[in-house]
Amino acid sequence: MVPILEMRGITKTFPGVRALDEVSFQVMPGEIHALVGENGAGKSTLMKVLSGVYPHGTYEGEILYEGAPVQFSGIHDSEARGIIIIHQELALVPLLSIAENIFLGNEQASHGVVNWHETMSRAQALLKKVGLAEAPGTLVDKIGVGKQQLVEIAKALSKNVKLLILDEPTAALQENDSRKLLDLMLELKAQGVTCILISHKLNEVRYVADTVTVIRDGRTVSSRPARSGLSENDIVRDMVGRDMSQRYPDRDRQAGEVLMEVTGWNVWHPDHADRHVIRDISFDVKAGEVVGIAGLMGSGRTELAMSIFGRSWGRQISGEVKLRGKPADVSRVDRAIDAGMAYVTEDRKALGLILEETVKFNTSLADLEAVASRGVLDDMRDIEVAERYRKALGTRTPSVFQKVGNLSGGNQQKVVLAKWLFTGPEVLLLDEPTRGIDVGAKYEIYTIINELAAEGKGVIMISSEMPELLGMCDRIYVMSEGSFVAELPAAEASQERIMSLIVSE
Amino acid sequence: MTMPVQIESETPATGIGAYLSSHMRDYGLLFALIAIMVFFQIVTNGTLMRPVNITNLFLQNSYIIIMALGMLIVIVAGHIDLSVGSVSGFIGAVAAVMMVQLHLPVLVTVVATLALGGAIGAAQGYWVAYWRIPSFIVTLAGMLVFRGASLLVLNGQSVGPFPRSFQILSNGFVPDVMPAAVTKPLAAAVGAFNFNMLAMGIGAVVALATIWMGLRGRARARQYGMEKEPPAFFWVRNLVVLGAFLFLTFKLATFRGLPNVLVTMGILIVVYAFVTENTVLGRRIYALGGNLKAAKLSGIKTSWLTFLAFVNMGVLSALAGLIYAARLNTATPKAGYGLELDVIAAVFIGGASMAGGSGKIVGAVVGAFIMGVMNNGMSIMGIGIDYQQMIKGLVLLAAVIFDVYNKQKQG
């Protein structure tokens, strides 16, 4: 059989960096081909070469598509041939309807006048195909991320897609939406659409992929059929270049006295006064303990953490927070910080960092007084602090004067952690601390978390990845629809047990 | 277990070319100002840099620069203030009525009107900071309201003249410390009718202090291994600054010395540059402009700081209004019309970003001077207001395009 796509000896260099080095990549028609690798391995660059974002002539090597060489000079060329990429950051216009988004740039119109009947009926048909039960006239910002992802796929289908490339499609999705999306991929495959799936989530890769190609440091490491006993560990070994049987570092598990205790916590939605988002939650964390909060996206995990941390979310907040047995004032962010709390957000770009500023600027931001005397900043102390945390956390950056926007996800996360560690917290609320970062950086973050626990701090870890909670935590609270439905010692917990607790509610 | 070390960092740029291209903005602005000054010096046959004109340049642009200081902070905080022209006109009007019609003392008037400016800023800042109403709308409303209020207060007529002690706010000069017996021979020696020793002395001290602070900063930077600027650049830049200071103060000294308003302005520039770059307060304003939500979650009182930025803007608008009125020696209902646009243009020419979070005081000041020298130069050349407006507009656009181009190039 002739491959639908064959990329031969692709080399792409940027000033000073060889992003792709003689990469070869073959996709057979009608298969789902997973492309995996750590962040910065070159997956996205390869896909940009394929789609013409980097036009012909800016790279070396050859691309054969449907058996013939192709030279794309822009994304328009590749789309015309049925190659469509759906990026991680969705490219939908929030205030337009689903139908308008599907046909954006490809309007169902004659002589510039939109044929709304055609638009709506075709959109309806496409939505049916992707299994989305929403009216085509619904505004995109009224539906969740999972459904938006489906709209993107419907949009791709409207362009007669032959080769669909999905870049981290489930990164922002919760478990059941992810599953739906993966099932849709299998369905599309049955209809003859070829898919390339870029993903970090190896269980998903194993669920849908026929072939797995691993890229590391700009080179193809392996390309193997997935259906013949390829294990996750095999893939991980190829990704990081060594065995990673141990994905979670060990730690002495010793819990001390109760550090923080939250009782009777209730929160209502800030915009919808009748929505009771957090219902009567009580929990505690002890010194030296890592406590997990498991739950689906939308169960109120982030809302719980943010409402505790200086009432940063919600209204009509009631309940009591005690630190070391004494009632603590956490009614404003600065007071919560003073009381010894830190909240590491799940959305580091939007809520955690000033991307246009330097590592130095971001590191001291939450405790500027500590690098100033009488309100005047001491630049040298500021630099020392940034350097200290850069070394302690192993942040890879040319210098502390680098803009954090230029760092990789894992290193950005370390800067966010550095910012909060510098405030000297006793209790850390970590919200999805390893989201969107690669396997190697995850391990380093885990190590940091363990060190914090070993220092006697209390760590509360919110995560969508259950293996991570099971591997890291001493105790796990299970959250569903705004309430805690169970508390399990990690030793008694399993993915199945947690999931069944969540769904049984 | 050890993790493989991935080097993700790009190799740091080395060499003078790389340094220049990464600091194009900073040098570009300074050299653009110098180039514009040289250009007008030539085409006006030397009129631009005559002592009287240099003095005029400072007097004409002082109120723009003073408002640009406040505007820079507002823009860094991610907002805009369209009302500053009207507010300054209104304050001038109120001051005129207080002094001329109500015969209140100058000092009382100045203090009360500055406080009134602060209150106006607070009234606008309140809606922006605590109600999250877009500043564009709030201050657009403010612009209309205070235009009308000026007319109302002045009853549609000009009010003046002012007491002498008020006029010197704008038209006065710092008297020389040296007796005429010393300065006259010096003046004769340089071929001028006057030579103000104090002005020259202060110019020299400020110039040397600038270089000394630059050297100290360099030494400290070297100590921490973060020296970035090649020595050649440091010295060229500093010698240009030194030369410019000495040249300008020499020009001022051979006219009537240091204008009062230049002293006020100079002190304000230094204070605001220090506050924005070296204090916790300044750092927090950049943070909230860079990412409001992240700043808030870092414990920064974002609403309060936004409010303060507008209060500060109000006070500076009031000060500018007083200086403007003092300069004209009359308050007119049309005073301050359109000034906000010059002020905003100066800040953007100076490199601030519309999105907030970036921009420097020095940039805004140089931006204001670029506008000021162009206004002045073109007027001397006799270019009509029609072409002047068009040229200024294009310069603003060019400056911002240059900025965006540089940013894209750096990725």
Side-chain angles (χ1 to χ4, degrees):
Chain A
M1 200 162 36
V2 185
I4 184 171
L5 173 74
E6 187 172 2
M7 300 177 83
R8 286 187 195 152
I10 305 289
T11 298
K12 169 81 188 161
T13 51
F14 297 106
V17 188
R18 180 169 280 233
L20 295 176
D21 189 3
E22 294 273 323
V23 170
S24 295
F25 183 52
Q26 235 181 40
V27 181
M28 301 309 283
E31 71 166 345
I32 296 180
H33 194 125
L35 185 60
V36 298
E38 293 191 284
N39 287 345
K43 296 164 299 188
S44 301
T45 312
L46 187 66
M47 291 302 107
K48 282 180 180 163
V49 167
L50 170 59
S51 60
V53 171
Y54 300 132
H56 180 78
T58 62
Y59 58 88
E60 291 158 41
E62 201 181 7
I63 303 176
L64 283 89
Y65 180 62
E66 295 180 315
V70 286
Q71 305 183 344
F72 297 136
S73 58
I75 215 156
H76 224 81
D77 289 355
S78 58
E79 285 202 350
R81 298 289 306 271
I83 301 176
I84 297 189
I85 296 198
I86 297 178
H87 291 282
Q88 202 174 344
E89 277 93 24
L90 297 179
L92 297 174
V93 183
L95 291 177
L96 290 183
S97 69
I98 292 175
E100 284 169 298
N101 268 289
I102 288 177
F103 295 110
L104 200 61
N106 177 27
E107 284 78 7
Q108 302 299 297
S110 56
H111 307 294
V113 179
V114 173
N115 182 342
W116 284 108
H117 184 74
E118 178 85 10
T119 302
M120 289 301 172
S121 64
R122 282 205 58 194
Q124 186 86 58
L126 289 165
L127 290 180
K128 204 175 164 198
K129 224 168 166 181
V130 299
L132 181 55
E134 289 282 346
T138 311
L139 296 190
V140 159
D141 77 337
K142 296 276 184 270
I143 60 177
V145 193
K147 289 180 177 175
Q148 292 181 5
Q149 194 71 256
L150 295 178
V151 173
E152 280 274 17
I153 292 176
K155 186 175 169 185
L157 292 178
S158 78
K159 295 176 189 166
N160 293 320
V161 62
K162 288 182 198 156
L163 177 59
L164 180 65
I165 302 162
L166 294 150
D167 189 356
E168 301 266 359
T170 61
L173 302 191
Q174 55 186 31
E175 199 102 17
N176 47 355
D177 279 346
S178 297
R179 182 53 68 99
K180 263 189 216 157
L181 185 78
L182 298 171
D183 287 336
L184 176 62
M185 283 179 73
L186 292 171
E187 212 168 290
L188 292 175
K189 176 185 150 186
Q191 293 168 19
V193 178
T194 311
C195 273
I196 298 175
L197 170 70
I198 298 176
S199 181
H200 279 139
K201 298 185 180 167
L202 299 184
N203 55 338
E204 295 178 355
V205 167
R206 296 228 310 132
Y207 182 61
V208 295
D210 301 300
T211 314
V212 179
T213 295
V214 179
I215 292 190
R216 184 173 78 228
D217 301 334
R219 294 192 185 89
T220 318
V221 178
S222 65
S223 189
R224 294 190 276 203
R227 303 265 178 235
S228 49
L230 184 69
S231 73
E232 282 186 28
N233 267 332
D234 293 336
I235 303 174
V236 169
R237 190 168 52 235
D238 286 344
M239 283 168 73
V240 300
R242 91 206 109 77
D243 207 343
M244 275 207 53
S245 53
Q246 194 192 10
R247 282 210 241 168
Y248 305 99
D250 279 335
R251 164 169 61 92
D252 272 349
R253 301 192 178 211
Q254 292 179 320
E257 58 162 347
V258 173
L259 265 187
M260 183 172 83
E261 198 179 355
V262 175
T263 40
W265 201 253
N266 280 284
V267 181
W268 270 261
H269 196 281
D271 302 325
H272 308 282
D274 55 335
R275 279 179 59 190
H276 195 173
V277 181
I278 303 294
R279 294 163 190 268
D280 205 28
I281 280 180
S282 299
F283 67 99
D284 63 67
V285 56
K286 302 184 181 71
E289 197 182 29
V290 180
V291 174
I293 297 179
L296 301 178
M297 215 174 271
S299 61
R301 305 167 311 181
T302 297
E303 290 78 2
L304 171 66
M306 286 182 72
S307 62
I308 294 172
F309 187 67
R311 308 205 167 164
S312 306
W313 193 91
R315 60 164 65 178
Q316 278 184 271
I317 297 168
S318 64
E320 194 185 27
V321 178
K322 279 185 184 167
L323 284 160
R324 291 194 184 280
K326 288 189 196 114
D329 182 2
V330 292
S331 60
R332 283 198 332 226
V333 174
D334 52 323
R335 289 179 186 157
I337 294 172
D338 288 345
M341 275 172 76
Y343 169 66
V344 175
T345 167
E346 61 171 342
D347 190 349
R348 58 183 164 265
K349 286 190 173 161
L351 304 177
L353 294 167
I354 318 283
L355 292 172
E356 285 294 304
E357 294 288 354
T358 61
V359 172
K360 175 188 81 135
F361 186 106
N362 279 283
T363 302
S364 57
L365 189 61
D367 194 6
L368 282 172
E369 274 86 6
V371 292
S373 36
R374 272 176 272 134
V376 178
L377 292 168
D378 181 341
D379 205 35
M380 292 305 138
R381 230 192 301 167
D382 202 12
I383 294 166
E384 277 170 6
V385 166
E387 277 292 337
R388 193 164 82 223
Y389 283 97
R390 183 183 68 79
K391 286 181 191 140
L393 303 187
T395 313
R396 287 177 206 110
T397 168
S399 77
V400 296
F401 308 104
Q402 183 72 14
K403 271 190 199 172
V404 292
N406 295 342
L407 302 183
S408 71
N411 287 313
Q412 288 182 350
Q413 188 68 358
K414 288 179 184 173
V415 176
V416 179
L417 274 172
K419 173 173 85 174
W420 289 111
L421 295 184
F422 182 54
T423 64
E426 287 192 81
V427 177
L428 290 106
L429 298 156
L430 309 180
D431 196 350
E432 300 278 9
T434 65
R435 167 178 289 177
I437 66 181
D438 60 55
V439 184
K442 273 186 184 175
Y443 189 89
E444 293 177 322
I445 301 280
Y446 296 145
T447 309
I448 295 165
I449 293 172
N450 281 349
E451 281 167 11
L452 293 170
E455 284 168 23
K457 300 188 191 304
V459 179
I460 296 161
M461 187 167 166
I462 296 170
S463 177
S464 298
E465 291 183 35
M466 267 185 251
E468 173 175 281
L469 290 177
L470 294 169
M472 289 296 297
C473 299
D474 300 295
R475 274 188 299 143
I476 297 173
Y477 289 99
V478 181
M479 187 166 188
S480 176
E481 289 177 15
S483 313
F484 279 177
V485 293
E487 179 192 345
L488 306 167
E492 295 171 22
S494 67
Q495 294 199 47
E496 292 72 24
R497 178 134 185 239
I498 293 174
M499 193 43 81
S500 68
L501 280 164
I502 289 174
V503 286
S504 68
E505 276 306 299
Chain B
M1 183 162 172
T2 54
M3 297 304 298
V5 175
Q6 282 173 288
I7 304 301
E8 312 176 27
S9 57
E10 71 264 36
T11 43
T14 48
I16 284 175
Y19 181 80
L20 188 64
S21 76
S22 66
H23 289 73
M24 203 58 205
R25 218 327 155 170
D26 305 349
Y27 291 104
L29 199 60
L30 189 61
F31 287 121
L33 176 60
I34 292 169
I36 288 169
M37 291 184 82
V38 169
F39 171 79
F40 281 111
Q41 172 72 357
I42 293 166
V43 298
T44 61
N45 296 320
T47 311
L48 184 84
M49 301 214 195
R50 278 169 52 192
V52 59
N53 195 52
I54 293 278
T55 305
N56 255 331
L57 253 174
F58 283 120
L59 297 184
Q60 276 171 2
N61 291 296
S62 54
Y63 41 87
I64 301 282
I65 289 170
I66 286 172
M67 286 195 280
L69 301 176
M71 189 64 80
L72 178 99
I73 291 176
V74 168
I75 286 173
V76 164
H79 295 283
I80 193 96
D81 191 338
L82 299 174
S83 72
V84 297
S86 302
V87 172
S88 67
F90 172 69
I91 294 291
V94 172
V97 168
M98 287 175 78
M99 287 181 296
V100 178
Q101 293 175 355
L102 304 177
H103 305 290
L104 289 167
V106 171
L107 190 65
V108 171
T109 305
V110 168
V111 171
T113 48
L114 288 181
L116 179 60
I120 290 170
Q124 299 192 92
Y126 172 74
W127 300 111
V128 177
Y130 295 102
W131 285 69
R132 291 170 216 290
I133 297 174
S135 53
F136 188 96
I137 293 168
V138 172
T139 60
L140 181 64
M143 177 168 98
L144 298 172
V145 166
F146 293 106
R147 268 190 192 176
S150 303
L151 274 168
L152 187 73
V153 168
L154 292 175
N155 235 335
Q157 283 156 359
S158 296
V159 174
F162 301 129
R164 178 71 200 142
S165 60
F166 182 71
Q167 287 177 43
I168 60 164
L169 191 62
S170 198
N171 299 338
F173 292 83
V174 183
D176 203 351
V177 285
M178 290 302 205
V182 181
T183 56
K184 279 295 168 201
L186 270 172
V190 294
F193 83 96
N194 185 18
F195 191 82
N196 187 305
M197 291 289 283
L198 182 76
M200 199 65 226
I202 287 179
V205 167
V206 169
L208 290 174
T210 309
I211 291 191
W212 180 72
M213 273 162 49
L215 276 174
R216 210 178 59 145
R218 251 178 106 69
R220 268 160 61 98
R222 193 177 306 122
Q223 198 183 331
Y224 284 84
M226 46 170 269
E227 183 183 84
K228 289 176 290 177
E229 194 176 25
F233 277 90
F234 175 81
W235 285 110
V236 167
R237 185 169 57 86
N238 275 280
L239 287 177
V240 167
V241 170
L242 179 80
F245 265 123
L246 293 179
F247 178 77
L248 290 177
T249 43
F250 175 76
K251 292 287 182 182
L252 291 172
T254 54
F255 185 56
R256 293 175 61 188
L258 285 183
N260 286 338
V261 71
L262 178 61
V263 176
T264 314
M265 196 171 87
I267 291 172
L268 286 175
I269 291 171
V270 171
V271 168
Y272 277 87
F274 181 80
V275 169
T276 52
E277 287 178 35
N278 294 304
T279 66
V280 171
L281 183 69
R283 177 73 65 91
R284 285 181 174 159
I285 289 169
Y286 281 89
L288 86 90
N291 185 343
L292 180 74
K293 289 175 179 169
K296 202 168 191 169
L297 274 179
S298 297
I300 294 172
K301 293 174 192 124
T302 51
S303 299
W304 171 240
L305 290 180
T306 304
F307 178 74
L308 284 187
F310 278 91
V311 173
N312 175 64
M313 185 74 250
V315 174
L316 290 180
S317 304
L319 179 59
L322 295 177
I323 290 172
Y324 189 83
R327 184 172 143 71
L328 296 183
N329 197 16
T330 177
T332 71
K334 286 222 157 191
Y337 262 42
L339 278 189
E340 61 277 349
L341 300 181
D342 282 345
V343 173
I344 293 167
V347 173
F348 286 134
I349 288 176
S353 151
M354 187 84 204
S358 73
K360 282 186 165 179
I361 287 289
V362 177
V365 172
V366 174
F369 272 118
I370 286 178
M371 294 283 280
V373 170
M374 289 195 346
N375 277 337
N376 182 274
M378 290 191 291
S379 299
I380 296 172
M381 284 171 70
I383 294 176
I385 190 80
D386 40 7
Y387 285 110
Q388 284 197 26
Q389 298 271 15
M390 288 163 71
I391 291 169
K392 273 158 54 183
L394 292 175
V395 166
L396 168 63
L397 184 63
V400 176
I401 290 171
F402 181 70
D403 249 7
V404 171
Y405 171 75
N406 265 328
K407 258 191 201 141
Q408 283 180 352
K409 211 174 55 179
Q410 284 171 29

